[in-house]
Amino acid sequence: MFRLTVCLLTYNSARLLHQVLTPLIRIADEMVVIDSGSSDKTLSILEGYGIAPIYHPYAMHGEQMNMAISRSSNDWVLCVDSDEILDETTLDYILALKSGEEPPADSGWSLSRYWYVLGEQTRTIYPISSPDFPLRLFHRRYVKFNNRPVDDKATGAARVTRIPGHVRHDTFYSLHEVFNKLNAYTTRVVQYQTLRPSIARGAISAVGAFFKLYVFSGAWRQGKTGVVTGLY
């Protein structure tokens, strides 16, 4: 048996926060929430659950997660974003895992995460195929998030087991959010990576990615959602 800290990142997360918190509270022995300056109802919702968030200005996702992990009073942590909703199958698995013998410290578990765009489940959104299986439950002394500006991930577990279930990753609920996030991602890439700009290479890459993600993957069958995931 082991105790589990749930590490959650928030920023203007009121839209889904009740749905995200309700299952997490069932498995958490401790909640550590890192908020990067919410101005909507996020803070009042957290207060309603008895959660006092820790403010940390946002730089990169991996840095925020590592900050949350460092504040955990338990060695085992589950790291979740505020647009990821755990289902019953995932919860049952984690509860059973917690109630059994404590596993080796170099073990880790990945979530079965399904992406939703504009409220519709999608198969691909660059550079991810859905479902994907990010490592999210692990021993904090063995695993940390890297600091890639985009698509960071947790690394360090010697063996990773996939948790069955259907974690709903309800991202990009409007076209406005799509363009806001795309702008934020490209800004971080330019800021933190050394790039050698090339108009020709960029155009060729963009056209190739669109055909791969929109035409060849079958995203065209999803109408507006398919166009968004193809262009993204």
Side-chain angles (χ1 to χ4, degrees):
M1 181 176 292
F2 62 86
R3 292 175 61 82
L4 181 68
T5 295
V6 171
C7 297
L8 176 67
L9 304 185
T10 59
Y11 176 70
N12 289 342
S13 304
R15 179 178 66 95
L16 292 173
L17 197 51
H18 285 295
Q19 296 176 63
V20 171
L21 288 172
T22 300
L24 293 178
I25 287 172
R26 290 172 53 189
I27 57 175
D29 298 294
E30 177 187 46
M31 291 283 302
V32 174
V33 177
I34 301 294
D35 186 82
S36 50
S38 292
S39 58
D40 63 357
K41 295 182 179 180
T42 295
L43 301 183
S44 61
I45 293 173
L46 291 171
E47 182 180 358
Y49 285 87
I51 300 170
I54 300 165
Y55 171 72
H56 188 263
Y58 190 90
M60 288 187 285
H61 180 268
E63 179 181 316
Q64 295 293 99
M65 277 299 188
N66 288 333
M67 170 62 68
I69 292 167
S70 72
R71 296 299 188 99
S72 170
S73 61
N74 299 307
D75 284 330
W76 291 98
V77 297
L78 171 68
C79 296
V80 183
D81 287 322
S82 60
D83 57 1
E84 296 171 341
I85 303 169
L86 274 60
D87 68 324
E88 287 294 327
T89 301
T90 303
L91 293 177
D92 290 345
Y93 185 97
I94 294 175
L95 288 170
L97 183 65
K98 286 180 60 184
S99 66
E101 290 188 16
E102 183 169 0
D106 60 355
S107 302
W109 287 263
S110 62
L111 298 178
S112 298
R113 184 175 66 171
Y114 292 76
W115 288 63
Y116 286 73
V117 175
L118 305 182
E120 183 177 350
Q121 187 175 336
T122 187
R123 294 175 58 188
T124 59
I125 180 165
Y126 181 80
I128 304 295
S129 294
S130 176
D132 65 338
F133 307 96
L135 170 61
R136 292 296 187 81
L137 198 164
F138 49 80
H139 195 290
R140 66 183 183 132
R141 302 193 187 279
Y142 280 78
V143 177
K144 291 289 187 293
F145 280 78
N146 60 30
N147 275 327
R148 293 180 60 184
V150 179
D151 302 321
D152 58 275
K153 60 182 179 179
T155 60
R159 58 185 68 84
V160 178
T161 302
R162 184 179 300 174
I163 299 175
H166 185 112
V167 175
R168 180 182 176 114
H169 189 200
D170 198 345
T171 189
F172 304 140
Y173 63 92
S174 68
L175 292 176
H176 178 71
E177 188 186 21
V178 171
F179 294 121
N180 278 349
K181 287 192 174 182
L182 183 58
N183 181 60
Y185 292 161
T186 54
T187 298
R188 288 201 298 273
V189 169
V190 171
Q191 183 177 358
Y192 292 104
Q193 290 187 352
T194 301
L195 300 176
R196 298 181 62 185
S198 168
I199 294 175
R201 184 171 65 245
I204 292 170
S205 297
V207 171
F210 179 79
F211 272 91
K212 177 181 177 182
L213 297 171
Y214 181 69
V215 179
F216 300 140
S217 73
W220 55 271
R221 298 187 184 95
Q222 293 186 277
K224 181 171 69 173
T225 300
V227 173
V228 170
T229 57
L231 290 174
Y232 184 83

